[in-house]
Structures are given as C-alpha cells and as structure tokens.
Amino acid sequence: MNDLNGKIAALLRDFAAIQKSKQTMWGYKRAAAAILALEQPIESLLQPDGTLRKIPNIGPSSTRIILEVLQTGTSATVERAIADSGQTTDIDRRRNLRGHFLSRAEVVAALRNKKLRGPRLPDYHGDLQMHSTWSDGSQTLDAIVEGGLARGYQFCGVTDHSYGLPIAGGISMHQLFEQHRAIDALNEAHRGAFRLIKGIEANIRADGSVDMTREELQHLELVVAAPHSALRSTADQTKRMIAAVNTPGVHILGHPRGRMYGSRPGVAADWDRVFDAAEKAGVAIEIDGDPARQDVDYALAKRAVDAGCLFALDSDAHSTGELQYAETAIAHARLAGVPTDRIVNCWPVDRLLEWLSTRNGR
Ligand SMILES: [Zn+2]
C-alpha cells in the first residue's frame, strides 16, 4: 500500500518531535492528526494550479511539507532538520513503532474494496469495548444507546475500567452495581431494539492474572482483559498473556499488545502460542480500532486467523464520536480476511449473549 496520508503524517510527527518550541510542536502534531483523519487520499486535494485545497488545522509550513512529499515522494526539509537535530536515534525508534497502522483514508478504502473478504459494515451488529462517564469516558449510558442505534447496532458492551486501574478512574464494585441498575432500566426501555451488555475492562497484572476475583467477574456479562503495564519492556511476556486467556470468565483479550502509534511497542510475546491458547480457551482476540492503537493489526490478525481464533472488533470509544473507531477495526479484519462468522460482533445478539453466558459459567 502506498499510503501518502500515513507517510506525510509520520513526517509531520517526526518534525514535531524535533521542534524546540512547544507551540510549533503542537502545530505539526495537529497537522499530522488532520492528515491521518482525512477521508480521502491527499493526492485528491491537489488542485490543477499545484496548490493544495484548504484543510482545517494545517498551516502554511505543514502545507509546504505536504507539497514537497507530493512532488518528490519525501521531504528533504524534514530529513535535513532531523539530521541536524542530533535526534536521529530517537526518530528512528519512533519510525519503527508505526508498522501496519492505517490512515483513515486507508480504512475507508478497505471498507469499500470489494475484492477483500471479511466483514462488511452492515455485518457488524455492535461494539464490545467502550468507556462511559462511570470511568474515564465522557459518554453517558444514554448517549451510548443513542450512538449505537444511530449506527444501526443491536448492542453495545459497556466496559469501564476495573477498580485495579485507578489512573483510568477504575469503577468500584459498589459503583458497578449502581451502573448495572442503570443498564437494566435502559434495557427495559429499549427492549427488542437495543441491548446494553454489562461489561468490564479488567486489567492484566504482571503475572497474567486479572485484577478482579472470580466471584466479582461473575457479576458481569462481558469481561475484556487487557494489559496496561510493562508495555515498553522487551522481555518476553508469552506466559503472562497465556495466563490471561486461560483465566476463567475472560471473553476477550483486549488490545493484546498495548502498543501506541509512534511511542511504544507494547507487549513482546510469541503471539502464535498466545493465539493457540486463546483458540483452545475460546477467548476472542480483539482488534482495537482506536487509531492510535490498531491492536492487533491486520498482519498479526492473519496469524490469529490461521490459529482458528475468534475475534472481537471494537472501538475502545471514550466518547460517542469515537464509536466510529470500530470501522478501523473492521478495515483491519477485512485486510486480514477474518471470516465473518468468527467475529463475535457479527453474531445475532442471542448467539452472542449465549456465548457470553456459557463462558462465565453461570
Ligand atoms: Zn485498555
């Protein structure tokens, strides 16, 4: 794939990283974000007179870099500045942490590409990882129902952070029961039309156990277990991840690596062994669609397809606008050729609820 949007955004991020002034750094970061969020390839915004159509949040100096890349395939300006900055090691490190990320334009192209197998947008019936005002999200439960219905969903899993992650406003068991009463009321009001699922994003500890007891997990319909620590360590963590998928009550291995665009590699593990264990345990591998995560990506997802795994494609939304991130996950699944019937979000709601309930042993 020759993704100029991704290439230009990466160059603008590199350029941002070597700025001495915070203000110019933020300017280039904003420009990079604007390019990554473009729906169309940047080439299509080039006008016959050689100028670029106006893009919000992109100033004149970013525009010059964009035009340079469009004309020459690279930016001598950025490369020269990096060489002069004495920060080439750091920039190289960042460049190695952008593998298999898709720009929004590539997501749109993958969703439209009829040659790809894998799930289509209408096959997707609901999203199974998101955060509400009960932890670090800004969306209320009502807004999640409205947002889900607006996207044509039949269900959404509310998965606020567990109490073991206070940094993300983890929800106490007391608050969780209160939240469940609110979910019951909403489900009653939308009976037959929409189902909120009582979930949690449990935190995978260093030893692979999750930060909630077996008894506590049984109060939940959906358990996403995800790593939030040791995400920059190069030590092998295969044992940790296998222990996590073998934990009773876990349904989904959420953002399995915990990587972050251009900043951290996430968990190092023998993923084929982790996927084998997940397949045996019946745990779904998540494709997290947050654009900064894209975890697992299509290349790694292909190996989970070969292992026979189930998949969950989720937005990890913290606001209603971010529900769209599910499309990033669907695009990766299409590029990986994930069979639609192996994606739990594409199952009819009754089949999904049955799978959820048999796994938590109630
Ligand atoms: Zn998480």
Side-chain angles (χ1 to χ4, degrees):
M1 275 181 280
N2 184 24
D3 175 33
L4 282 179
N5 295 34
K7 185 171 190 172
I8 289 168
L11 283 164
L12 289 169
R13 288 288 293 235
D14 291 342
F15 207 41
I18 57 170
Q19 296 303 309
K20 295 216 166 61
S21 123
K22 277 242 149 61
Q23 202 187 336
T24 56
M25 179 197 80
W26 281 110
Y28 290 119
K29 274 195 165 184
R30 259 196 308 277
I35 298 284
L36 280 180
L38 280 180
E39 297 275 316
Q40 62 280 69
I42 186 92
E43 308 89 287
S44 68
L45 299 181
L46 202 56
Q47 305 183 105
D49 66 355
T51 61
L52 201 62
R53 213 182 305 160
K54 184 87 190 105
I55 308 167
N57 284 324
I58 296 184
S61 44
S62 295
T63 301
R64 275 196 297 277
I65 291 169
I66 295 168
L67 289 172
E68 209 181 353
V69 178
L70 287 175
Q71 284 152 10
T72 69
T74 184
S75 169
T77 308
V78 173
E79 297 300 345
R80 209 177 312 117
I82 292 169
D84 293 345
S85 71
Q87 295 181 52
T88 47
T89 313
D90 180 53
I91 296 296
D92 283 344
R93 184 188 65 80
R94 290 167 186 269
R95 287 181 168 177
N96 285 325
L97 298 173
R98 297 194 186 116
H100 305 116
F101 277 90
L102 303 176
S103 66
R104 174 68 189 166
E106 282 188 302
V107 168
V108 171
L111 294 175
R112 285 188 189 146
N113 185 346
K114 292 204 169 67
K115 287 190 200 127
L116 295 172
R117 291 170 302 129
R120 297 165 310 130
L121 218 41
D123 298 326
Y124 187 81
H125 301 317
D127 191 336
L128 295 172
Q129 196 202 152
M130 67 190 62
H131 302 267
S132 76
T133 47
W134 291 80
S135 69
D136 62 348
S138 66
Q139 49 185 353
T140 61
L141 298 179
D142 292 79
I144 289 173
V145 175
E146 295 306 315
L149 283 168
R151 296 186 62 80
Y153 295 170
Q154 298 166 16
F155 55 83
C156 275
V158 180
T159 57
D160 282 303
H161 290 285
S162 55
Y163 60 79
L165 209 60
I167 194 166
I171 185 168
S172 70
M173 287 310 290
H174 175 75
Q175 288 173 310
L176 197 63
F177 293 137
E178 225 178 287
Q179 184 192 55
H180 288 179
R181 281 198 293 278
I183 290 178
D184 286 337
L186 279 165
N187 283 340
E188 192 53 46
H190 293 90
R191 185 175 288 277
F194 195 84
R195 177 71 155 74
L196 277 182
I197 295 169
K198 296 168 186 166
I200 197 86
E201 182 184 0
N203 180 37
I204 300 174
R205 295 197 193 100
D207 65 358
S209 64
V210 303
D211 62 349
M212 292 176 77
T213 67
R214 178 90 185 95
E215 197 274 331
E216 287 167 347
L217 291 181
Q218 280 176 344
H219 292 289
L220 293 149
E221 295 178 296
L222 162 67
V223 177
V224 179
H228 299 93
S229 59
L231 306 179
R232 292 172 193 273
S233 164
T234 53
D236 179 85
Q237 300 186 57
T238 307
K239 257 175 77 180
R240 178 192 187 194
M241 303 317 285
I242 290 179
V245 299
N246 283 329
T247 303
V250 170
H251 298 93
I252 295 171
L253 181 61
H255 54 71
R257 284 172 296 183
R259 71 169 183 169
M260 205 53 84
Y261 177 78
S263 89
R264 67 177 190 229
V267 167
D270 180 342
W271 290 105
D272 295 314
R273 283 180 56 209
V274 176
F275 295 153
D276 277 340
E279 193 275 327
K280 282 195 187 72
V283 167
I285 299 299
E286 185 180 71
I287 301 181
D288 185 310
D290 180 328
R293 292 187 178 274
Q294 308 198 25
D295 182 12
V296 296
D297 59 61
Y298 60 91
L300 200 46
K302 264 184 203 153
R303 286 157 60 184
V305 171
D306 293 342
C309 291
L310 292 173
F311 284 83
L313 315 182
D314 301 328
S315 67
D316 200 351
H318 287 65
S319 66
T320 316
E322 293 177 359
L323 289 173
Q324 192 196 47
Y325 292 172
E327 294 174 12
T328 311
I330 297 168
H332 278 279
R334 288 178 63 75
L335 291 168
V338 180
T340 306
D341 67 347
R342 276 209 245 151
I343 300 167
V344 298
N345 317 67
C346 297
W347 293 350
V349 65
D350 290 340
R351 181 177 173 197
L352 173 70
L353 292 173
E354 193 183 313
W355 175 71
L356 292 174
S357 70
T358 50
R359 289 201 55 76
N360 67 11
R362 282 184 301 179

PDB file of all heavy atoms in Angstrom, residues 1-6 36 38-41 100-112 116 294 298 331 335:
ATOM      1  N   MET A   1       0.838  -1.203   0.000  1.00  0.00           N
ATOM      2  CA  MET A   1       0.000   0.000   0.000  1.00  0.00           C
ATOM      3  C   MET A   1       0.872   1.252   0.000  1.00  0.00           C
ATOM      4  O   MET A   1       1.796   1.354   0.800  1.00  0.00           O
ATOM      5  CB  MET A   1      -0.897   0.011   1.243  1.00  0.00           C
ATOM      6  CG  MET A   1      -2.159  -0.772   1.053  1.00  0.00           C
ATOM      7  SD  MET A   1      -3.196  -0.693   2.533  1.00  0.00           S
ATOM      8  CE  MET A   1      -2.398  -1.922   3.545  1.00  0.00           C
ATOM      9  N   ASN A   2       0.587   2.155  -0.893  1.00  0.00           N
ATOM     10  CA  ASN A   2       1.318   3.409  -0.904  1.00  0.00           C
ATOM     11  C   ASN A   2       0.434   4.484  -0.284  1.00  0.00           C
ATOM     12  O   ASN A   2      -0.312   5.169  -0.970  1.00  0.00           O
ATOM     13  CB  ASN A   2       1.709   3.776  -2.346  1.00  0.00           C
ATOM     14  CG  ASN A   2       2.567   5.026  -2.371  1.00  0.00           C
ATOM     15  OD1 ASN A   2       3.217   5.342  -1.371  1.00  0.00           O
ATOM     16  ND2 ASN A   2       2.552   5.748  -3.469  1.00  0.00           N
ATOM     17  N   ASP A   3       0.518   4.588   1.007  1.00  0.00           N
ATOM     18  CA  ASP A   3      -0.366   5.485   1.734  1.00  0.00           C
ATOM     19  C   ASP A   3       0.342   6.801   2.008  1.00  0.00           C
ATOM     20  O   ASP A   3       1.057   6.946   2.997  1.00  0.00           O
ATOM     21  CB  ASP A   3      -0.803   4.806   3.033  1.00  0.00           C
ATOM     22  CG  ASP A   3      -1.625   5.752   3.901  1.00  0.00           C
ATOM     23  OD1 ASP A   3      -2.351   6.593   3.333  1.00  0.00           O
ATOM     24  OD2 ASP A   3      -1.531   5.643   5.135  1.00  0.00           O
ATOM     25  N   LEU A   4       0.124   7.785   1.126  1.00  0.00           N
ATOM     26  CA  LEU A   4       0.794   9.079   1.308  1.00  0.00           C
ATOM     27  C   LEU A   4       0.278   9.804   2.544  1.00  0.00           C
ATOM     28  O   LEU A   4       1.035  10.518   3.198  1.00  0.00           O
ATOM     29  CB  LEU A   4       0.609   9.952   0.062  1.00  0.00           C
ATOM     30  CG  LEU A   4       1.530   9.587  -1.122  1.00  0.00           C
ATOM     31  CD1 LEU A   4       1.231  10.494  -2.305  1.00  0.00           C
ATOM     32  CD2 LEU A   4       2.997   9.699  -0.720  1.00  0.00           C
ATOM     33  N   ASN A   5      -1.012   9.614   2.880  1.00  0.00           N
ATOM     34  CA  ASN A   5      -1.525  10.263   4.091  1.00  0.00           C
ATOM     35  C   ASN A   5      -0.725   9.803   5.313  1.00  0.00           C
ATOM     36  O   ASN A   5      -0.307  10.616   6.139  1.00  0.00           O
ATOM     37  CB  ASN A   5      -3.011   9.925   4.301  1.00  0.00           C
ATOM     38  CG  ASN A   5      -3.894  10.491   3.207  1.00  0.00           C
ATOM     39  OD1 ASN A   5      -3.471  10.563   2.057  1.00  0.00           O
ATOM     40  ND2 ASN A   5      -5.106  10.881   3.552  1.00  0.00           N
ATOM     41  N   GLY A   6      -0.529   8.482   5.401  1.00  0.00           N
ATOM     42  CA  GLY A   6       0.226   7.929   6.525  1.00  0.00           C
ATOM     43  C   GLY A   6       1.670   8.394   6.505  1.00  0.00           C
ATOM     44  O   GLY A   6       2.248   8.733   7.550  1.00  0.00           O
ATOM     45  N   LEU A  36      -4.079  12.293   9.091  1.00  0.00           N
ATOM     46  CA  LEU A  36      -4.469  10.910   9.401  1.00  0.00           C
ATOM     47  C   LEU A  36      -5.987  10.746   9.390  1.00  0.00           C
ATOM     48  O   LEU A  36      -6.489   9.661   9.125  1.00  0.00           O
ATOM     49  CB  LEU A  36      -3.925  10.490  10.766  1.00  0.00           C
ATOM     50  CG  LEU A  36      -2.456  10.076  10.819  1.00  0.00           C
ATOM     51  CD1 LEU A  36      -2.072   9.694  12.237  1.00  0.00           C
ATOM     52  CD2 LEU A  36      -2.163   8.921   9.857  1.00  0.00           C
ATOM     53  N   LEU A  38      -8.097  12.411   7.422  1.00  0.00           N
ATOM     54  CA  LEU A  38      -8.713  12.703   6.118  1.00  0.00           C
ATOM     55  C   LEU A  38      -9.406  11.468   5.558  1.00  0.00           C
ATOM     56  O   LEU A  38      -8.864  10.372   5.604  1.00  0.00           O
ATOM     57  CB  LEU A  38      -7.649  13.126   5.098  1.00  0.00           C
ATOM     58  CG  LEU A  38      -7.133  14.558   5.118  1.00  0.00           C
ATOM     59  CD1 LEU A  38      -6.085  14.702   4.013  1.00  0.00           C
ATOM     60  CD2 LEU A  38      -8.269  15.546   4.912  1.00  0.00           C
ATOM     61  N   GLU A  39     -10.587  11.655   5.006  1.00  0.00           N
ATOM     62  CA  GLU A  39     -11.329  10.535   4.424  1.00  0.00           C
ATOM     63  C   GLU A  39     -10.770  10.113   3.069  1.00  0.00           C
ATOM     64  O   GLU A  39     -10.956   8.983   2.640  1.00  0.00           O
ATOM     65  CB  GLU A  39     -12.803  10.932   4.225  1.00  0.00           C
ATOM     66  CG  GLU A  39     -13.549  11.251   5.510  1.00  0.00           C
ATOM     67  CD  GLU A  39     -14.105   9.997   6.193  1.00  0.00           C
ATOM     68  OE1 GLU A  39     -14.666   9.139   5.501  1.00  0.00           O
ATOM     69  OE2 GLU A  39     -13.955   9.898   7.428  1.00  0.00           O
ATOM     70  N   GLN A  40     -10.107  11.064   2.379  1.00  0.00           N
ATOM     71  CA  GLN A  40      -9.657  10.777   1.020  1.00  0.00           C
ATOM     72  C   GLN A  40      -8.131  10.867   0.909  1.00  0.00           C
ATOM     73  O   GLN A  40      -7.497  11.537   1.723  1.00  0.00           O
ATOM     74  CB  GLN A  40     -10.324  11.719  -0.001  1.00  0.00           C
ATOM     75  CG  GLN A  40     -10.017  13.203   0.181  1.00  0.00           C
ATOM     76  CD  GLN A  40     -10.840  13.867   1.260  1.00  0.00           C
ATOM     77  OE1 GLN A  40     -10.666  13.589   2.437  1.00  0.00           O
ATOM     78  NE2 GLN A  40     -11.717  14.755   0.853  1.00  0.00           N
ATOM     79  N   PRO A  41      -7.541  10.203  -0.091  1.00  0.00           N
ATOM     80  CA  PRO A  41      -6.091  10.328  -0.277  1.00  0.00           C
ATOM     81  C   PRO A  41      -5.725  11.787  -0.532  1.00  0.00           C
ATOM     82  O   PRO A  41      -6.430  12.494  -1.259  1.00  0.00           O
ATOM     83  CB  PRO A  41      -5.807   9.483  -1.514  1.00  0.00           C
ATOM     84  CG  PRO A  41      -6.986   8.582  -1.669  1.00  0.00           C
ATOM     85  CD  PRO A  41      -8.162   9.320  -1.099  1.00  0.00           C
ATOM     86  N   HIS A 100       2.117  -1.118  10.172  1.00  0.00           N
ATOM     87  CA  HIS A 100       0.751  -1.625   9.952  1.00  0.00           C
ATOM     88  C   HIS A 100      -0.319  -0.762  10.594  1.00  0.00           C
ATOM     89  O   HIS A 100      -1.358  -1.272  11.020  1.00  0.00           O
ATOM     90  CB  HIS A 100       0.634  -3.076  10.440  1.00  0.00           C
ATOM     91  CG  HIS A 100       1.650  -3.994   9.814  1.00  0.00           C
ATOM     92  ND1 HIS A 100       2.622  -4.632  10.548  1.00  0.00           N
ATOM     93  CD2 HIS A 100       1.858  -4.338   8.544  1.00  0.00           C
ATOM     94  CE1 HIS A 100       3.383  -5.345   9.750  1.00  0.00           C
ATOM     95  NE2 HIS A 100       2.943  -5.183   8.512  1.00  0.00           N
ATOM     96  N   PHE A 101      -0.064   0.536  10.694  1.00  0.00           N
ATOM     97  CA  PHE A 101      -1.127   1.467  11.076  1.00  0.00           C
ATOM     98  C   PHE A 101      -1.813   1.941   9.794  1.00  0.00           C
ATOM     99  O   PHE A 101      -1.151   2.157   8.780  1.00  0.00           O
ATOM    100  CB  PHE A 101      -0.557   2.680  11.821  1.00  0.00           C
ATOM    101  CG  PHE A 101      -0.325   2.420  13.290  1.00  0.00           C
ATOM    102  CD1 PHE A 101       0.887   1.926  13.739  1.00  0.00           C
ATOM    103  CD2 PHE A 101      -1.336   2.661  14.212  1.00  0.00           C
ATOM    104  CE1 PHE A 101       1.101   1.679  15.091  1.00  0.00           C
ATOM    105  CE2 PHE A 101      -1.129   2.411  15.572  1.00  0.00           C
ATOM    106  CZ  PHE A 101       0.089   1.919  16.010  1.00  0.00           C
ATOM    107  N   LEU A 102      -3.121   2.108   9.854  1.00  0.00           N
ATOM    108  CA  LEU A 102      -3.875   2.597   8.702  1.00  0.00           C
ATOM    109  C   LEU A 102      -4.301   4.035   8.949  1.00  0.00           C
ATOM    110  O   LEU A 102      -4.764   4.370  10.042  1.00  0.00           O
ATOM    111  CB  LEU A 102      -5.142   1.756   8.497  1.00  0.00           C
ATOM    112  CG  LEU A 102      -4.983   0.250   8.310  1.00  0.00           C
ATOM    113  CD1 LEU A 102      -6.366  -0.408   8.214  1.00  0.00           C
ATOM    114  CD2 LEU A 102      -4.166  -0.053   7.059  1.00  0.00           C
ATOM    115  N   SER A 103      -4.172   4.874   7.912  1.00  0.00           N
ATOM    116  CA  SER A 103      -4.778   6.202   7.988  1.00  0.00           C
ATOM    117  C   SER A 103      -6.285   6.028   7.764  1.00  0.00           C
ATOM    118  O   SER A 103      -6.732   4.987   7.286  1.00  0.00           O
ATOM    119  CB  SER A 103      -4.194   7.109   6.903  1.00  0.00           C
ATOM    120  OG  SER A 103      -4.579   6.618   5.628  1.00  0.00           O
ATOM    121  N   ARG A 104      -7.053   7.051   8.113  1.00  0.00           N
ATOM    122  CA  ARG A 104      -8.498   6.981   7.904  1.00  0.00           C
ATOM    123  C   ARG A 104      -8.824   6.746   6.415  1.00  0.00           C
ATOM    124  O   ARG A 104      -9.739   5.998   6.089  1.00  0.00           O
ATOM    125  CB  ARG A 104      -9.151   8.270   8.402  1.00  0.00           C
ATOM    126  CG  ARG A 104     -10.627   8.418   8.117  1.00  0.00           C
ATOM    127  CD  ARG A 104     -11.497   7.447   8.882  1.00  0.00           C
ATOM    128  NE  ARG A 104     -12.876   7.513   8.386  1.00  0.00           N
ATOM    129  CZ  ARG A 104     -13.821   6.614   8.653  1.00  0.00           C
ATOM    130  NH1 ARG A 104     -13.562   5.568   9.397  1.00  0.00           N
ATOM    131  NH2 ARG A 104     -15.034   6.755   8.177  1.00  0.00           N
ATOM    132  N   ALA A 105      -8.049   7.348   5.522  1.00  0.00           N
ATOM    133  CA  ALA A 105      -8.298   7.157   4.084  1.00  0.00           C
ATOM    134  C   ALA A 105      -8.122   5.687   3.710  1.00  0.00           C
ATOM    135  O   ALA A 105      -8.864   5.149   2.876  1.00  0.00           O
ATOM    136  CB  ALA A 105      -7.365   8.046   3.265  1.00  0.00           C
ATOM    137  N   GLU A 106      -7.149   5.017   4.323  1.00  0.00           N
ATOM    138  CA  GLU A 106      -6.964   3.583   4.050  1.00  0.00           C
ATOM    139  C   GLU A 106      -8.086   2.748   4.641  1.00  0.00           C
ATOM    140  O   GLU A 106      -8.466   1.721   4.067  1.00  0.00           O
ATOM    141  CB  GLU A 106      -5.628   3.116   4.630  1.00  0.00           C
ATOM    142  CG  GLU A 106      -4.435   3.487   3.790  1.00  0.00           C
ATOM    143  CD  GLU A 106      -3.201   2.820   4.357  1.00  0.00           C
ATOM    144  OE1 GLU A 106      -2.900   3.062   5.528  1.00  0.00           O
ATOM    145  OE2 GLU A 106      -2.578   2.037   3.634  1.00  0.00           O
ATOM    146  N   VAL A 107      -8.591   3.173   5.789  1.00  0.00           N
ATOM    147  CA  VAL A 107      -9.735   2.482   6.393  1.00  0.00           C
ATOM    148  C   VAL A 107     -10.920   2.561   5.436  1.00  0.00           C
ATOM    149  O   VAL A 107     -11.558   1.548   5.127  1.00  0.00           O
ATOM    150  CB  VAL A 107     -10.095   3.104   7.769  1.00  0.00           C
ATOM    151  CG1 VAL A 107     -11.440   2.596   8.270  1.00  0.00           C
ATOM    152  CG2 VAL A 107      -8.994   2.821   8.785  1.00  0.00           C
ATOM    153  N   VAL A 108     -11.181   3.775   4.944  1.00  0.00           N
ATOM    154  CA  VAL A 108     -12.306   3.978   4.028  1.00  0.00           C
ATOM    155  C   VAL A 108     -12.114   3.116   2.774  1.00  0.00           C
ATOM    156  O   VAL A 108     -13.043   2.449   2.306  1.00  0.00           O
ATOM    157  CB  VAL A 108     -12.441   5.472   3.656  1.00  0.00           C
ATOM    158  CG1 VAL A 108     -13.445   5.686   2.534  1.00  0.00           C
ATOM    159  CG2 VAL A 108     -12.831   6.285   4.896  1.00  0.00           C
ATOM    160  N   ALA A 109     -10.883   3.086   2.253  1.00  0.00           N
ATOM    161  CA  ALA A 109     -10.605   2.300   1.045  1.00  0.00           C
ATOM    162  C   ALA A 109     -10.817   0.803   1.310  1.00  0.00           C
ATOM    163  O   ALA A 109     -11.388   0.090   0.471  1.00  0.00           O
ATOM    164  CB  ALA A 109      -9.174   2.559   0.568  1.00  0.00           C
ATOM    165  N   ALA A 110     -10.390   0.328   2.473  1.00  0.00           N
ATOM    166  CA  ALA A 110     -10.553  -1.105   2.799  1.00  0.00           C
ATOM    167  C   ALA A 110     -12.027  -1.461   2.969  1.00  0.00           C
ATOM    168  O   ALA A 110     -12.456  -2.554   2.595  1.00  0.00           O
ATOM    169  CB  ALA A 110      -9.773  -1.455   4.062  1.00  0.00           C
ATOM    170  N   LEU A 111     -12.810  -0.533   3.526  1.00  0.00           N
ATOM    171  CA  LEU A 111     -14.242  -0.799   3.692  1.00  0.00           C
ATOM    172  C   LEU A 111     -14.936  -0.873   2.331  1.00  0.00           C
ATOM    173  O   LEU A 111     -15.887  -1.623   2.149  1.00  0.00           O
ATOM    174  CB  LEU A 111     -14.904   0.282   4.553  1.00  0.00           C
ATOM    175  CG  LEU A 111     -14.470   0.346   6.028  1.00  0.00           C
ATOM    176  CD1 LEU A 111     -15.114   1.535   6.731  1.00  0.00           C
ATOM    177  CD2 LEU A 111     -14.818  -0.944   6.767  1.00  0.00           C
ATOM    178  N   ARG A 112     -14.413  -0.101   1.359  1.00  0.00           N
ATOM    179  CA  ARG A 112     -15.046  -0.059   0.027  1.00  0.00           C
ATOM    180  C   ARG A 112     -14.537  -1.141  -0.910  1.00  0.00           C
ATOM    181  O   ARG A 112     -15.214  -1.470  -1.888  1.00  0.00           O
ATOM    182  CB  ARG A 112     -14.767   1.301  -0.627  1.00  0.00           C
ATOM    183  CG  ARG A 112     -15.597   2.401  -0.031  1.00  0.00           C
ATOM    184  CD  ARG A 112     -15.420   3.690  -0.838  1.00  0.00           C
ATOM    185  NE  ARG A 112     -16.042   4.804  -0.136  1.00  0.00           N
ATOM    186  CZ  ARG A 112     -15.577   6.043  -0.149  1.00  0.00           C
ATOM    187  NH1 ARG A 112     -14.481   6.336  -0.830  1.00  0.00           N
ATOM    188  NH2 ARG A 112     -16.211   6.988   0.502  1.00  0.00           N
ATOM    189  N   LEU A 116     -11.782  -7.567  -1.091  1.00  0.00           N
ATOM    190  CA  LEU A 116     -11.404  -8.115   0.216  1.00  0.00           C
ATOM    191  C   LEU A 116     -12.527  -9.003   0.746  1.00  0.00           C
ATOM    192  O   LEU A 116     -13.698  -8.682   0.599  1.00  0.00           O
ATOM    193  CB  LEU A 116     -11.134  -6.983   1.207  1.00  0.00           C
ATOM    194  CG  LEU A 116      -9.947  -6.081   0.878  1.00  0.00           C
ATOM    195  CD1 LEU A 116      -9.912  -4.895   1.843  1.00  0.00           C
ATOM    196  CD2 LEU A 116      -8.640  -6.855   0.956  1.00  0.00           C
ATOM    197  N   GLN A 294      -4.784   0.441  17.059  1.00  0.00           N
ATOM    198  CA  GLN A 294      -4.863  -0.516  15.931  1.00  0.00           C
ATOM    199  C   GLN A 294      -4.174  -1.818  16.341  1.00  0.00           C
ATOM    200  O   GLN A 294      -3.168  -2.223  15.766  1.00  0.00           O
ATOM    201  CB  GLN A 294      -4.278   0.097  14.664  1.00  0.00           C
ATOM    202  CG  GLN A 294      -4.898   1.461  14.370  1.00  0.00           C
ATOM    203  CD  GLN A 294      -4.704   1.951  12.942  1.00  0.00           C
ATOM    204  OE1 GLN A 294      -4.525   1.172  12.014  1.00  0.00           O
ATOM    205  NE2 GLN A 294      -4.754   3.252  12.739  1.00  0.00           N
ATOM    206  N   TYR A 298      -3.711  -5.909  11.027  1.00  0.00           N
ATOM    207  CA  TYR A 298      -4.086  -6.959  10.071  1.00  0.00           C
ATOM    208  C   TYR A 298      -3.007  -8.025   9.909  1.00  0.00           C
ATOM    209  O   TYR A 298      -3.326  -9.202   9.693  1.00  0.00           O
ATOM    210  CB  TYR A 298      -4.458  -6.355   8.715  1.00  0.00           C
ATOM    211  CG  TYR A 298      -3.358  -5.555   8.050  1.00  0.00           C
ATOM    212  CD1 TYR A 298      -2.464  -6.162   7.177  1.00  0.00           C
ATOM    213  CD2 TYR A 298      -3.218  -4.187   8.297  1.00  0.00           C
ATOM    214  CE1 TYR A 298      -1.455  -5.423   6.573  1.00  0.00           C
ATOM    215  CE2 TYR A 298      -2.216  -3.451   7.697  1.00  0.00           C
ATOM    216  CZ  TYR A 298      -1.341  -4.066   6.843  1.00  0.00           C
ATOM    217  OH  TYR A 298      -0.337  -3.340   6.254  1.00  0.00           O
ATOM    218  N   ALA A 331     -11.810  -2.573   9.140  1.00  0.00           N
ATOM    219  CA  ALA A 331     -10.873  -2.491   7.997  1.00  0.00           C
ATOM    220  C   ALA A 331      -9.707  -3.463   8.183  1.00  0.00           C
ATOM    221  O   ALA A 331      -9.325  -4.176   7.249  1.00  0.00           O
ATOM    222  CB  ALA A 331     -10.356  -1.060   7.857  1.00  0.00           C
ATOM    223  N   LEU A 335      -8.680  -6.619   5.795  1.00  0.00           N
ATOM    224  CA  LEU A 335      -7.338  -6.811   5.229  1.00  0.00           C
ATOM    225  C   LEU A 335      -6.746  -8.160   5.654  1.00  0.00           C
ATOM    226  O   LEU A 335      -5.946  -8.748   4.926  1.00  0.00           O
ATOM    227  CB  LEU A 335      -6.418  -5.662   5.647  1.00  0.00           C
ATOM    228  CG  LEU A 335      -6.769  -4.307   5.024  1.00  0.00           C
ATOM    229  CD1 LEU A 335      -6.007  -3.181   5.714  1.00  0.00           C
ATOM    230  CD2 LEU A 335      -6.465  -4.293   3.522  1.00  0.00           C
TER     231      LEU A 335
END
